[in-house]
Amino acid sequence: MAPEDNRGFNVYKGLQKPLVFKSFKGRYIYWGLASVLTGFFAAVVISVSLNFFSGLVALVIVTFGGMGFTAMQQKKGLHHKTKSKGVYIMPAQWRRSARR
């Protein structure tokens, strides 16, 4: 009697759900983080060049503007596509030719 040939490995595939942090999913977590970091960087630059109050205003505008933009993009979906109306007939390009 030959032992079974078991060459496969068990692979844990997770829960098949996207990573969620503070209502942001998947790649939009990084977009939100980028908007926060950009807001801090803009606040530092403007605070040094102008004054503290202008830096604080820039921090709020850039951060919340970026977070709002990220939320709007997330609402469209990870793979949003243009939605064209109408009927489109695609020509068959890869037909088999008649055998000779």
Side-chain angles (χ1 to χ4, degrees), residues 4-21:
E4 290 184 31
D5 190 16
N6 197 4
R7 296 180 187 211
F9 296 98
N10 293 330
V11 177
Y12 177 70
K13 295 184 179 181
L15 299 175
Q16 300 300 318
K17 292 186 178 183
L19 181 63
V20 178
F21 179 74

Side-chain angles (χ1 to χ4, degrees), residues 84-88:
S84 304
K85 294 183 179 180
V87 176
Y88 297 96

Side-chain angles (χ1 to χ4, degrees), residues 6 12 20 35-36 66 70 74 88 96:
N6 197 4
Y12 177 70
V20 178
S35 65
V36 169
T70 303
Q74 180 176 334
Y88 297 96
R96 290 186 181 182

Side-chain angles (χ1 to χ4, degrees), residues 36-50:
V36 169
L37 292 177
T38 303
F40 280 125
F41 182 71
V44 167
V45 169
I46 292 175
S47 291
V48 168
S49 62
L50 296 176

Side-chain angles (χ1 to χ4, degrees), residues 10-72:
N10 293 330
V11 177
Y12 177 70
K13 295 184 179 181
L15 299 175
Q16 300 300 318
K17 292 186 178 183
L19 181 63
V20 178
F21 179 74
K22 301 282 185 181
S23 77
F24 290 115
K25 297 178 186 173
R27 71 176 178 180
Y28 298 109
I29 295 172
Y30 299 111
W31 286 25
L33 179 64
S35 65
V36 169
L37 292 177
T38 303
F40 280 125
F41 182 71
V44 167
V45 169
I46 292 175
S47 291
V48 168
S49 62
L50 296 176
N51 60 16
F52 177 75
F53 182 71
S54 298
L56 186 63
V57 170
L59 172 70
V60 170
I61 290 173
V62 171
T63 300
F64 287 114
M67 295 296 250
F69 176 75
T70 303
M72 286 189 319

